[in-house]
Amino acid sequence: AQSVTQLGSHVSVSEGALVLLRCNYSSSVPPYLFWYVQYPNQGLQLLLKYTTGATLVKGINGFEAEFKKSETSFHLTKPSAHMSDAAEYFCAVSATNAGKSTFGDGTTLTVKP
Amino acid sequence: DAGVIQSPRHEVTEMGQEVTLRCKPISGHDYLFWYRQTMMRGLELLIYFNNNVPIDDSGMPEDRFSAKMPNASFSTLKIQPSEPRDSAVYFCASSSRDRGPHEQYFGPGTRLTVT
């Protein structure tokens, strides 16, 4: 079974500041890990994913995440926030032998001018 | 590739009426998912299909909800009779084990309002 915990349902940063959204997972088998972003009135879209190999993965819009097996974490970061980054972000985990993903509760990112 | 297509985008109906939501997955994808999103409960997986066969419907709230996938390019989610508490945004998503392990492509959603 898999589970995801996103720490902090709301995160607020100033424009230009570091963005850090936290995600911890639980999985009984090697996981696939994902971050999705949802802009207002839209569906979720994939931001980045970890499957195998390099533990630091880069995604769209300057975001990146690092898979840390020892910490069971997959935190999302961006060095400098833009106003356009304001959205809801979902972390998800999938077992390598399963079709579905388990999503976290989401973190709403607010960017202040 | 056209993305996942959902119709209608908005649906307003009265309590007790039947509602049918439609989804066309991305061509070639073999998984299809139905989700419901509300402020109170967040994103919930209702049911998912693999190769048109329902695999897990444990998230379907009750017998008023049913989903079908008659072929690889079409799925429906039906609510009969509808109730105000069914008001939510319903998303369809599809994925392919061959094209990317379990990453899902979401449609734009159907916003359902039951009065």
Side-chain angles (χ1 to χ4, degrees):
Chain A
Q2 294 80 43
S3 67
V4 175
T5 301
Q6 291 186 239
L7 299 173
S9 58
H10 291 85
V11 171
S12 181
V13 301
S14 297
E15 192 173 19
L18 171 72
V19 175
L20 171 60
L21 304 183
R22 299 178 188 272
C23 173
N24 287 89
Y25 71 91
S26 172
S27 179
S28 55
V29 298
Y32 293 145
L33 294 159
F34 310 86
W35 276 100
Y36 290 83
V37 61
Q38 184 181 27
Y39 298 105
N41 300 313
Q42 295 185 26
L44 282 69
Q45 62 183 83
L46 185 69
L47 204 54
L48 49 78
K49 65 181 178 182
Y50 168 79
T51 54
T52 58
T55 57
L56 181 64
V57 293
K58 296 184 185 299
I60 61 173
N61 301 336
F63 284 93
E64 61 182 36
E66 186 170 11
F67 170 57
K68 292 187 176 180
K69 184 178 179 180
S70 61
E71 298 177 9
T72 61
S73 69
F74 191 57
H75 301 331
L76 181 71
T77 61
K78 182 174 180 177
S80 176
H82 294 167
M83 297 295 292
S84 60
D85 294 327
E88 189 162 18
Y89 292 80
F90 292 88
C91 182
V93 62
S94 175
T96 52
N97 59 351
K100 70 175 183 179
S101 293
T102 299
F103 285 80
D105 291 336
T107 297
T108 299
L109 176 65
T110 301
V111 182
K112 299 175 291 186
Chain B
D1 253 342
V4 175
I5 299 172
Q6 292 187 247
S7 64
R9 293 293 311 276
H10 301 272
E11 177 80 41
V12 180
T13 190
E14 292 183 348
M15 183 175 63
Q17 296 298 306
E18 177 180 295
V19 175
T20 299
L21 310 182
R22 297 173 176 79
C23 175
K24 177 179 171 55
I26 292 173
S27 176
H29 281 192
D30 53 351
Y31 284 85
L32 184 138
F33 307 83
W34 281 102
Y35 292 90
R36 178 173 68 177
Q37 187 176 40
T38 61
M39 290 291 292
M40 291 296 293
R41 289 198 291 267
L43 188 68
E44 303 173 274
L45 176 64
L46 301 178
I47 185 171
Y48 78 97
F49 297 82
N50 178 219
N51 292 323
N52 313 336
V53 176
I55 302 301
D56 183 355
D57 66 354
S58 59
M60 296 286 262
E62 48 199 273
D63 292 346
R64 297 185 298 107
F65 286 69
S66 63
K68 294 182 179 180
M69 193 166 185
N71 57 62
S73 59
F74 184 66
S75 177
T76 60
L77 178 67
K78 186 175 295 187
I79 308 172
Q80 166 64 19
S82 58
E83 297 183 2
R85 58 193 169 120
D86 301 330
S87 297
V89 181
Y90 290 81
F91 289 104
C92 176
S94 68
S95 71
S96 168
R97 195 186 288 267
D98 292 335
R99 295 188 188 182
H102 315 298
E103 64 188 76
Q104 295 181 24
Y105 295 80
F106 283 74
T110 296
R111 183 173 297 275
L112 174 65
T113 303
V114 183
T115 61

